[in-house]
C-alpha cells in the first residue's frame, strides 16, 4: 500500500530525485516500495495544484489525461466513483 509523505526541507532533495522533478515543500507525494505510486489518484499533488500520476515508478500523467478525455470525465473530479476506479485499474494497474 502506498504511503503519503509531505515534502519538507529535510526530505525535499530525496523525494525530488524519486519523482524525477523538483518538488516544492508541502507537496504530497505517495511512495510504494520506494517508488512513486498511487493506484487511486495522482501520486504527486503540489501546493499550487499541479498533479502527476505515477504507477510503479513510471509517470503516466499524459496517458491518464488521455484516458479521462476518452471517457469524457472531468479530470478535476478524479476517480470519484467505483466505476471510474474499476476502469482505471483495468487499464493501468492490473
Amino acid at each position: 500500500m502506498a504511503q503519503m509523505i509531505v515534502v519538507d526541507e529535510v526530505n525535499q532533495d530525496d523525494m525530488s530525485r524519486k519523482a524525477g522533478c523538483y518538488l516544492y515543500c508541502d507537496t504530497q507525494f505517495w511512495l510504494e516500495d520506494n517508488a512513486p505510486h498511487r493506484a487511486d489518484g495522482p501520486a504527486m499533488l503540489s501546493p499550487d495544484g499541479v498533479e502527476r500520476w505515477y504507477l510503479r515508478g513510471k509517470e503516466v500523467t499524459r496517458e491518464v489525461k488521455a484516458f479521462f478525455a476518452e471517457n469524457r470525465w472531468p479530470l478535476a473530479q478524479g476517480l470519484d466513483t467505483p466505476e471510474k476506479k474499476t476502469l482505471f485499474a483495468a487499464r493501468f494497474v492490473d
Side-chain angles (χ1 to χ4, degrees), residues 4 6 8 20 25 32 34 38 43 47 62 71 90 93:
M4 194 270 288
V6 177
D8 59 25
C25 287
E32 183 172 286
N34 212 26
R38 186 172 173 205
R62 284 186 178 179
N71 288 288
V93 181

Side-chain angles (χ1 to χ4, degrees), residues 14-90:
D14 187 42
M15 294 301 111
S16 292
R17 278 192 290 282
K18 290 179 191 307
C21 62
Y22 182 80
L23 298 181
Y24 293 94
C25 287
D26 297 324
T27 296
Q28 296 176 353
F29 191 52
W30 281 258
L31 292 175
E32 183 172 286
D33 296 329
N34 212 26
H37 176 81
R38 186 172 173 205
D40 62 351
M44 192 274 305
L45 297 168
S46 71
D48 62 354
V50 173
E51 299 177 346
R52 289 183 184 226
W53 296 68
Y54 293 83
L55 295 169
R56 295 178 196 86
K58 179 183 177 200
E59 185 177 358
V60 292
T61 303
R62 284 186 178 179
E63 292 91 337
V64 169
K65 286 182 178 181
F67 176 70
F68 271 73
E70 288 168 17
N71 288 288
R72 299 176 190 232
W73 298 337
L75 190 59
Q77 291 179 353
L79 299 172
D80 61 346
T81 67
E83 175 194 11
K84 287 180 181 180
K85 289 178 183 177
T86 300
L87 292 172
F88 181 84

